Amino acid sequence: MGRMASFCAAIFHDAEQEYFKDDERLRSNSNFDPCVSPKRKIGNKNLKYRMTKMEKKYKEAQKQAASFNLLLPEEAGFLEVNEGEDTCIIDQKDIADAVDITSSSKYFNLVLDQFGPYRINYTRNGRHLLMGGRRGHVAALDWHTKQLLCEINVMESINDVRWLHSENMFAVAQKKWLYIYDNMGIELHCVKKFNDVLRMEFLPYHFLLATCSASGFLQYLDVSVGKEVTATCTKAGRLNVMAQNPYNAIIHLGHTTGTVTMWSPNVKEPLVKMLCHRGGIRAIAVDKTGTYMATSGLDKKLKIFDIRALRQVQSYVIPLGASHLTFSQSNLLAAGCGNVVHVYKDAHLEGMNKPYMCHSVRQSVHGLQFCPYEDVLGIGHGEGFTSMLVPGAGEANFDALECNPYQSKKQRQEWEVKALLEKIQPELITLDPNKLGEVDFITMKQKLTERAERLGYDPLVKEKFEPKHKMKGRSSTGNIEKRKKKVAFDRQRVSERLIRGCDETDMIFHWTFTAPSLAHQQDLEGQTSHWGQGILPLSSC
């Protein structure tokens, strides 16, 4: 007997030493997470199996991500100069001469001095360009191949133009009403509910066209069904400064009082109201992550705000002030100051003394936008359109399942069907999208309180169970523990059924038979056969 005990102790000691060696090996690993306990400490076999399966899945995903990085064909890069030189003095012609033929062809000028100034907009995949002149000229083209899709004159003033979910349709905010055209220039709809529209923003995942008007109304149009979702009177006068947050689809509006308001179609009041400038707001831009917001005002200041904390990060003074702002996919900030365009690098991270790049046009800037997945900045001005080369502005590699610049007609059709099936409802637009996956504890508690009031008692309240003492050895420690576990199990079944929301009549009947009062339960402990006959099956709810 003593030999057996010493042998078992030796085996246990060896296993313990091996466990501590594995634990030290795990902790020496750089990827070790102290919050995650080793799997050998998990007693539940089912849980241990699921944890092992999950870890294998995570490791496989990491290996695939690392292997896919080798297949990415492009790399991001910025302008590099020698010591003592500035990148802002480099001319566009010098950049076009230094790069390859394909990249140099992306720098061009369109002289359209009859119907300007022009508002511009690129599609989400960066393939097509839409231009709208103040005097009624509208043109859509594939700017890669310079192939013109359509060109029309609407014979009235144009305030803004915007592509919809694909390059087959676009919206034009004309003098009186909102019009929808196809890529051949044929008028599809005239939406008379949207009048005096000044600015537009399209929400691609919600299929919503947000517009702000001269009368102070913020309206949403569902382009998938052609109906107005909501119309909100902001009570802030003329609205001509507008931007969207790509992260949460919140609309940012700038007002003449120097305030910026954030709006959702579900609320008639602004979610956030910030005082950003001492003068009126001239331009607003939000980066693709929804973290930083850039604003410019009549006080000739350019300010960067952290939207998460609603606080100012950086503030700069620009001599002429910025009338237009836009962020690139690599967080480059472009500002239109009169007829000069400044491009700033890392403006939200550290103070800047000079811009990254500069370019001047003949007349004042009227529209700015970085082309997605390209190192190109589109400039709409009084004499037409200019395509400016900005190295490092675009995302180097695109996701073909999300935005494919080279998609075929069949791929576009399949993408439209999938996007319509996955359309997000306007009711889900909130300031913090992460709250959509959380449990609403307040509503759950309120429902449980109302249910307790209807039933006359709280079925989730657990009374302390004291087993009745029995004779002839039936009150041994083992029997008492068995009775306690049985009562606890029955109570847990009832609690789960209540939470799942079973019918109240069945629940009362089930509670009466399976969980009677404490005194009656103690009297029936010896008659479990009669009590068990009244238990309902789980499938009855």
Side-chain angles (χ1 to χ4, degrees), residues 93-154:
K93 292 183 180 179
D94 298 335
I95 298 177
D97 294 339
V99 297
D100 57 281
I101 299 176
T102 305
S103 299
S104 63
S105 65
K106 297 175 183 178
Y107 166 66
F108 60 91
N109 291 290
L110 298 178
V111 180
L112 305 169
D113 53 357
Q114 295 181 359
F115 304 103
Y118 280 84
R119 296 281 299 176
I120 64 170
N121 183 234
Y122 289 100
T123 53
R124 291 184 62 224
N125 57 11
R127 183 68 188 229
H128 296 84
L129 171 66
L130 179 64
M131 299 185 297
R134 176 66 64 84
R135 297 180 179 90
H137 180 229
V138 179
L141 70 152
D142 183 346
W143 73 273
H144 282 195
T145 60
K146 311 300 187 296
Q147 180 182 358
L148 187 65
L149 299 180
C150 69
E151 186 177 13
I152 60 174
N153 196 310
V154 299

Side-chain angles (χ1 to χ4, degrees), residues 68-349:
F68 290 158
N69 288 334
L70 301 175
L71 302 177
L72 298 180
E74 303 293 339
E75 293 182 1
F78 295 92
L79 280 179
E80 295 181 359
V81 295
N82 298 326
E83 290 188 25
E85 296 182 2
D86 295 332
T87 56
C88 61
I89 63 175
I90 300 178
D91 192 57
Q92 285 292 305
K93 292 183 180 179
D94 298 335
I95 298 177
D97 294 339
V99 297
D100 57 281
I101 299 176
T102 305
S103 299
S104 63
S105 65
K106 297 175 183 178
Y107 166 66
F108 60 91
N109 291 290
L110 298 178
V111 180
L112 305 169
D113 53 357
Q114 295 181 359
F115 304 103
Y118 280 84
R119 296 281 299 176
I120 64 170
N121 183 234
Y122 289 100
T123 53
R124 291 184 62 224
N125 57 11
R127 183 68 188 229
H128 296 84
L129 171 66
L130 179 64
M131 299 185 297
R134 176 66 64 84
R135 297 180 179 90
H137 180 229
V138 179
L141 70 152
D142 183 346
W143 73 273
H144 282 195
T145 60
K146 311 300 187 296
Q147 180 182 358
L148 187 65
L149 299 180
C150 69
E151 186 177 13
I152 60 174
N153 196 310
V154 299
M155 303 303 292
E156 62 178 351
S157 62
I158 293 176
N159 296 322
D160 200 6
V161 292
R162 192 68 54 178
W163 287 108
L164 298 184
H165 59 282
S166 68
E167 63 273 10
N168 286 342
M169 289 194 298
F170 59 88
V172 180
Q174 298 179 197
K175 181 179 179 181
K176 198 172 182 181
W177 295 315
L178 176 66
Y179 290 83
I180 308 295
Y181 297 91
D182 66 354
N183 58 357
M184 301 298 293
I186 301 174
E187 180 183 328
L188 300 178
H189 303 285
C190 175
V191 189
K192 295 186 178 181
K193 285 187 177 181
F194 293 70
N195 58 326
D196 300 328
V197 175
L198 298 180
R199 292 291 180 266
M200 297 185 295
E201 288 289 343
F202 183 69
L203 310 179
Y205 299 104
H206 306 78
F207 281 78
L208 291 180
L209 180 65
T211 64
C212 59
S213 64
S215 57
F217 275 86
L218 175 62
Q219 297 173 276
Y220 290 84
L221 174 67
D222 191 341
V223 299
S224 62
V225 295
K227 291 183 179 180
E228 181 185 15
V229 175
T230 181
T232 305
C233 181
T234 60
K235 302 176 184 178
R238 181 183 177 90
L239 302 175
N240 59 352
V241 180
M242 184 182 190
Q244 69 159 308
N245 190 335
Y247 174 68
N248 52 16
I250 294 295
I251 296 297
H252 296 229
L253 297 179
H255 307 285
T256 56
T257 57
T259 58
V260 174
T261 54
M262 304 180 190
W263 297 84
S264 169
N266 308 316
V267 185
K268 295 297 182 181
E269 297 294 331
L271 302 176
V272 176
K273 190 173 183 181
M274 299 173 58
L275 180 61
C276 299
H277 294 269
R278 294 185 178 180
I281 303 295
R282 299 184 66 187
I284 302 175
V286 184
D287 71 331
K288 67 174 183 178
T289 61
T291 305
Y292 297 101
M293 176 182 66
T295 62
S296 64
L298 293 175
D299 54 359
K300 298 181 181 180
K301 287 186 178 181
L302 172 63
K303 296 184 179 181
I304 312 294
F305 293 88
D306 189 342
I307 303 179
R308 299 167 298 181
L310 300 178
R311 65 181 180 87
Q312 179 179 318
V313 178
Q314 300 289 344
S315 179
Y316 309 99
V317 177
I318 299 179
L320 297 177
S323 59
H324 296 85
L325 297 172
T326 181
F327 274 102
S328 73
Q329 292 178 325
S330 59
N331 281 342
L332 292 180
L333 177 62
C337 309
N339 66 332
V340 181
V341 177
H342 298 285
V343 180
Y344 299 97
K345 182 181 177 182
D346 296 333
H348 58 287
L349 299 178

Side-chain angles (χ1 to χ4, degrees), residues 484-502:
K484 287 183 179 180
K485 288 182 180 180
K486 184 177 181 181
V487 172
F489 176 72
D490 291 339
R491 288 180 176 179
Q492 185 178 2
R493 288 176 60 192
V494 174
S495 300
E496 290 177 355
R497 299 178 104 187
L498 282 174
I499 294 175
R500 290 173 186 171
C502 297

